[in-house]
Amino acid sequence: MNEPRITPELIASHGLSPDEYARIEQILGRAPNYTELGIFSVMWSEHCSYKSSRVHLRKFPTTGPRVIQGPGENAGVIDIGDGWVAAFKMESHNHPSFIEPYQGAATGVGGILRDIFTMGARPIACLDSLRFGALDAPRMKYLVDGVVRGISGYGNCIGIPTVGGETSFHSSYNGNILVNVFALGVTTRDRIFNGTASGVGNPVIYVGSKTGRDGIHGATMASAEFDEASEEKRPTVQVGDPFTEKLLLEACLEIMESDSVVGIQDMGAAGLTSSSFEMAGRAGTGVRMHLDRVPVRESGMTPYEIMLSESQERMLIVAKRGREDEVVRTFEKWDLNAAVVGEVTDDGFVRLFWSGEEVAAIPVDPISTEAPVYERPMAKPDRSLPATLDRQRVEDGDHTDELFHLIASPNLCSKHWIWEQYDTTVRTNTIAGPERRDAAIVRVKGTGRALAMTSDVNPLYCFLDPYEGGKQAVAEAARNIAVSGGRPIAITDCLNFGSPERPEIMGQFAECIRGISDACRAFETPVVSGNVSFYNETEGRAVLPTPTVGMVGILERETDGCGVAFPEAGLDIVLIGDTHDELGGSEWQQTNLPDALALPPRVDLDHESALVSFFIAAYEHRLLRSAHDLSNGGLAVALAECAMTGAGCHIELGGHADAIDAIALLFGESQGRAIVSTSHLDELLRLAKKHGLPAMRIGRTEVATFLIERNGVPLVRTSTPELARIWRTSFALLLGGDSVDEVIRGVGEEAEMIPR
């Protein structure tokens, strides 16, 4: 074969530094050939090796009584009782989705689903966490449309419901959107599979789609920032086929019912390279593979291309010796390619052959254990922020218009335009889908239990104070699980940051991890899986630090929990928690004082833990009719969200936080708060006091009314139909080009589609 000559320019184009290349030569005892250079480049990429994050990730708590499998496998696994387990993980597909939004988002869904069923679990639910730039930024409406269609196109076709998630907008994402996808599956404890290549002589079997040239160097592309030439990287975006993935899912679960499988691994980032090296590395073995036996869909493919391709819907299986024909027949029955391409060896090398000639020989252990690990320089931001916003105190008066502007904003309006494109109820496990509760709820059939799941982070909080922002992401996730009826038990994460080569970015990263770690210890929710996505920046402009937290909780009875909406008139409304003048990073601040900076709300982990315990007890005693966490937008927005899809309310806030002005009272985002409705007021207040929580009756539910007063002075006065009209129609109208003011005035008609 004619391969390119190894030059400094070729080495640099593979993302390897001179020091890293020198280490490769030392490991091999010689210069690498072109195929070997490509293998090292993807395995040592930031995306695959975690070389800048590993020293910090070790600070996460990763063990606990329910943890069966922590970080290091395809997905984390937790015990959910009676022999059942849940496998879950969150991954990013940011760069591909910016370059080609439909396929980038679609293959993100496909990849995370394979991580789940590779563990032996049947996927039952997905969440998405999407961050876009300003809606009027170039390409942004196109990106929103393409990403949403990609997620729905893949998830709907394979038949896995997308049951929840979050979507927000900020100009920092103008040049680098974030597409994070979470998936969860269930199985029994005795049916968990791992990605190991054990048993010398056992056959290595390639199954799934044929290999093409799509996605080559996708892992390397995901480990570099964008520039003006990013559009040229379109060939590194994979192309997915959900119908093939459905066949692959069923074939994998069928063969796992036999005892013929030793190990199984998804061919995700870095494709056949990562799957073979990771499987051998976990088992302490080696692998010999004949690449000319790999099914390919394009002529003239080279060993380099076959090893680095990231074509979708492929798996690598190690079977028991003598059972390979059974495995091949099973996959062929499902109309999938299957070929025995090699065997497990005991020499600790991955050896690759082409037409009988050895074309690569790389030791397994050094490519992982001797991958670069960097302790990057860190720096704190060179600024000192005030505790509160510098603004004029506002006297009590009518702030209805400010509430309208907030609920019509892209961050706070209903996202039904998005989630109505998703099948949220397929497989009939969904108890609470999008916008019904603060967390999505899916039943585990046959157990009487249900699982709650949510994804949360406030990137602006993390920018203003990374430690508090990290704490807040976990705390809000725990609140969302608890108010929805669940007990928080574990998290996964997707840590999205700019370039790790910039000290201020590494400072953000380290502090966010410290905050997440402290909060996870407080809630006893270990980190069981996750993903790091660096280099989310364009021409030196980084996204806001976005450490997305995906949390899972358990409902011991699937009938536990209640919705956000006030269910009927005549119920008492109780505010739990204290309100302070905390507008730094709030939606009100971004809308009204966009250039102002102040510290974000503080997070009291003892208080937050007590709040979670309170909700668990309140559901145990059947005291709640509705429950809603207070987060973005503050008290007024939370009350509107409770009222506009249910009964209205008459609120009197006299006696609560009297020292702060109306703006901080209505729109401040103090943490550790919730709104509940109840017909057992006295018992509920006693329970809150028992848990050491401030709790106050602030009003009563009423038909169609929405009135918030303080000491008899109306602060917000409207009707629930008007709130619902603005909240529900805004997103499609904004996508269609209307302004927030036009939405509020009712100008235009709700858009059915946006420009492609």
Side-chain angles (χ1 to χ4, degrees), residues 113 123-124 153-162 242 246 249 423 426-427:
L113 291 174
I124 61 171
Y154 207 101
N156 294 357
C157 289
I158 196 173
I160 308 298
T162 301
K246 173 63 173 174
L249 185 160
D423 191 332
V426 63
R427 302 194 63 80

Side-chain angles (χ1 to χ4, degrees), residues 724-741:
R725 178 191 69 79
I726 295 170
W727 179 72
R728 185 170 176 82
T729 63
S730 292
F731 193 67
L733 291 171
L734 294 171
L735 288 171
D738 285 6
S739 68
V740 169
D741 286 331

Side-chain angles (χ1 to χ4, degrees), residues 7-244:
T7 64
E9 293 75 21
L10 186 67
I11 294 166
S13 72
H14 280 69
L16 293 165
S17 70
D19 287 344
E20 289 171 346
Y21 181 74
R23 182 68 188 127
I24 292 169
E25 288 189 315
Q26 185 180 9
I27 288 171
L28 294 177
R30 55 178 171 80
N33 61 34
Y34 182 56
T35 300
E36 292 167 334
L37 181 73
I39 289 170
F40 271 100
S41 76
V42 293
M43 291 301 291
W44 284 8
S45 68
E46 192 71 61
H47 190 74
C48 292
S49 73
Y50 293 81
K51 56 189 175 185
S52 298
S53 59
R54 198 178 304 176
V55 294
H56 300 285
L57 298 177
R58 294 170 184 153
K59 299 172 184 175
F60 279 148
T62 58
T63 59
R66 290 187 180 270
V67 177
I68 296 172
Q69 176 64 60
E73 264 290 347
N74 292 289
V77 182
I78 55 172
D79 188 340
I80 59 174
D82 295 333
W84 284 86
V85 301
F88 61 96
K89 190 180 183 184
M90 181 175 277
E91 281 275 7
S92 63
H93 231 221
N94 304 334
H95 286 48
S97 298
F98 185 79
I99 294 170
E100 210 301 294
Y102 183 92
Q103 289 297 345
T107 52
V109 174
I112 196 65
L113 291 174
R114 289 194 299 279
D115 283 338
I116 300 306
F117 68 78
T118 298
M119 301 297 296
R122 178 176 289 278
I124 61 171
C126 288
L127 304 174
D128 57 43
S129 180
L130 311 177
R131 312 285 167 182
F132 296 105
L135 270 176
D136 58 358
R139 297 181 71 239
M140 202 53 59
K141 293 182 176 70
Y142 161 76
L143 291 171
V144 172
D145 177 57
V147 165
V148 172
R149 287 191 298 111
I151 292 171
S152 64
Y154 207 101
N156 294 357
C157 289
I158 196 173
I160 308 298
T162 301
V163 295
E166 53 179 342
T167 303
S168 67
F169 298 81
H170 189 276
S171 60
S172 78
Y173 305 106
N174 283 359
N176 196 130
I177 65 173
L178 303 183
V179 176
N180 296 174
V181 186
F182 165 104
L184 177 144
V186 295
T187 187
T188 54
R189 187 161 186 163
D190 59 344
R191 304 305 303 165
I192 300 171
F193 285 80
N194 298 108
T196 59
S198 302
V200 174
N202 280 335
V204 175
I205 306 173
Y206 172 112
V207 301
S209 294
K210 292 181 178 180
T211 294
R213 291 188 170 95
D214 52 324
I216 292 174
H217 272 301
T220 307
M221 180 267 289
S223 305
E225 63 183 86
F226 282 144
D227 53 32
E228 293 180 351
S230 291
E231 282 293 316
E232 299 172 7
K233 297 177 181 178
R234 193 176 296 269
T236 64
V237 177
Q238 311 92 323
V239 177
D241 179 356
F243 299 105
T244 298

Side-chain angles (χ1 to χ4, degrees), residues 678-697:
T678 182
S679 55
H680 302 279
L681 178 63
D682 292 341
E683 193 174 349
L684 185 77
L685 293 176
R686 284 195 297 270
L687 184 65
K689 184 177 181 180
K690 178 181 177 182
H691 284 82
L693 298 172
M696 175 181 170
R697 181 191 182 277

Side-chain angles (χ1 to χ4, degrees), residues 504-546:
E504 65 271 24
I505 299 298
M506 285 309 299
Q508 293 173 351
F509 184 79
E511 282 295 280
C512 283
I513 282 189
R514 187 167 70 91
I516 291 171
S517 299
D518 285 352
C520 284
R521 291 187 180 94
F523 293 111
E524 298 181 344
T525 52
V527 182
V528 299
S529 60
N531 173 61
V532 176
S533 176
F534 277 133
Y535 295 100
N536 290 291
E537 59 180 66
T538 299
E539 298 177 359
R541 295 187 298 274
V543 302
L544 294 175
T546 312

Side-chain angles (χ1 to χ4, degrees), residues 35 39 83 167 174 218 223 294 407-408 444 456 553 623 647 668 687 698 743:
T35 300
I39 289 170
T167 303
N174 283 359
S223 305
V294 172
I407 65 171
V444 183
D456 294 284
L623 301 181
L687 184 65
I698 60 170
V743 171

